[in-house]
Every structure is written in structure tokens, then in C-alpha cells.
Amino acid sequence: MIEENERAAKFMQAIQRDGEKRRAAIIQAIDEEIAAELEKVKTDAAAKAKQMGDYEKVRLQEDTNRKLSHSVLETGAELATRRNEIEQQVFDACEERLAQFTAKPEYTDYLRKSAEALLQLLHADKAEFFARTQDVEVAKKAVPAGCAVSADPTIRLGGLRAKSGAVEADDTLDMKLDAQKDWFLQNSGMSIAL
């Protein structure tokens, strides 16, 4: 009987050892499964975080570009407005100086030279001249004999326009000042390049 008890005890120990081995193998398999799942979850989370980060980066970049573009447009508009104001101030000052010049006695000499230049340009000895209303009498003294002078209300600043046959030439101060506007914008250093 003792022998049977010993055998039974050894059998139980063998079963218990086998159970412990299987239990250890199951725990190790579970730990490996948990580690694999955890690694998979970490990888998925990292991928989602990267994707979200990339999305936010693109969104912020687009938002920044939109704000920058809007700011550039606003700044360009402000600069254009300011440039136009400065241009207007400069040309208003020029018009004032031209008004002072047309009030001086030298203006008659200027009209005489202008009339001669217009006749040469028209290849004519005689022409019909046009002057602003207040300059008609002065212009009559400045143009060669035999040439007519008429009032032209479209001439604001002074000078002469001439017509010989179908050909016309303009030497008015209005035209000369207007011709300077493009030159002024190109050479004033007030270009708008953002």
C-alpha cells in the first residue's frame, strides 16, 4: 500500500509538474500575444498620430498661406492707394507751378517757340492754333502772322495745339504733363512689388 501511495504521489507530482509547464507555456503565449497586440496598437496609434500631425501641418500651412495672401493683397492695395496719393500731390504741385509759369511774361516766348515747333512738325507755313480761353490774346501775339487762334476749353494748363489740313499736333502743357505720368511711376522708385 505504501508503494501504491508513493506511486500515486509521484503520479500527482508528475501531473502537477506537467500542469505547471503547461500553465507557464500558456502564460508565456498570453504575454507574447499581449505584447504583439500592444505593439500593433502602438504602431496604429503612431500612424494615426502622424497622419493627424500631417493633416494639422497642412491645414496650418494653408491657413497661414491664406492669411499671408490676404495680407499681401491688403498691403498692395494700401501701397497703391498711397502711391496714387503721392502721385496726385506731385502732379498737383506741377500744375500749380505751370499756372505760375503761364502768368509770367516768359510764357509768351514759350508760346512763340511752341508755335514755330508745331509748324515745323506739321510741315506747314500756316495753321489753325488752339489755346485755352484765357490764353487766346497772348497766343495771337505769339503765332506767326496769318495764323488763326481759337479757344479750346479742353486745354486746362496752357500751351498750343495746331491743325493744318487733316493733320493735328499737340504741344499743350496738359499733354506734356500727362506724358510724364508713366515716366514718373517708372522712375520714382514707388513701384509695388510684393
Side-chain angles (χ1 to χ4, degrees):
M1 184 92 155
I2 291 181
E3 208 175 282
E4 269 182 46
N5 283 340
E6 277 180 32
R7 263 199 246 167
K10 285 183 182 181
F11 183 69
M12 287 298 280
Q13 285 176 352
I15 290 176
Q16 197 171 12
R17 277 194 303 267
D18 185 53
E20 288 292 324
K21 279 183 186 177
R22 287 183 183 192
R23 181 179 162 272
I26 290 171
I27 288 175
Q28 184 179 355
I30 289 172
D31 287 346
E32 288 173 1
E33 182 83 21
I34 289 172
E37 282 298 314
L38 186 60
E39 189 60 35
K40 183 179 172 187
V41 168
K42 283 181 183 178
T43 303
D44 288 349
K48 284 180 183 177
K50 183 181 181 328
Q51 184 181 16
M52 187 64 121
D54 291 346
Y55 168 77
E56 284 299 315
K57 181 180 173 184
V58 168
R59 191 185 65 76
L60 286 172
Q61 197 170 22
E62 287 173 353
D63 190 44
T64 301
N65 288 343
R66 189 173 22 263
K67 287 177 182 176
L68 180 63
S69 178
H70 184 69
S71 176
V72 166
L73 288 175
E74 282 182 349
T75 302
E78 288 173 14
L79 286 174
T81 299
R82 184 63 184 133
R83 180 184 71 183
N84 291 341
E85 289 171 0
I86 292 170
E87 176 189 2
Q88 189 62 48
Q89 290 171 355
V90 167
F91 281 92
D92 287 347
C94 290
E95 286 185 19
E96 190 176 311
R97 297 280 304 265
L98 287 172
Q100 292 170 4
F101 169 70
T102 59
K104 293 181 179 180
E106 294 91 359
Y107 183 55
T108 305
D109 289 335
Y110 174 81
L111 291 177
R112 186 176 293 112
K113 289 177 185 174
S114 177
E116 291 171 5
L118 285 168
L119 287 173
Q120 284 182 351
L121 190 63
L122 294 171
H123 303 292
D125 294 332
K126 295 189 192 262
E128 182 180 1
F129 287 90
F130 301 91
R132 64 185 180 158
T133 306
Q134 62 265 41
D135 291 344
V136 170
E137 292 305 314
V138 175
K140 285 181 180 178
K141 296 174 189 173
V143 300
C147 292
V149 177
S150 301
D152 183 349
T154 63
I155 300 173
R156 289 184 322 104
L157 303 174
L160 296 171
R161 223 175 17 87
K163 181 178 182 180
S164 177
V167 181
E168 290 188 33
D170 191 341
D171 194 36
T172 60
L173 296 173
D174 303 61
M175 182 275 305
K176 288 181 177 183
L177 186 62
D178 194 48
Q180 293 301 307
K181 288 183 179 181
D182 285 339
W183 180 89
F184 176 77
L185 288 177
Q186 291 171 0
N187 294 288
S188 66
M190 294 193 309
S191 64
I192 300 174
L194 301 174

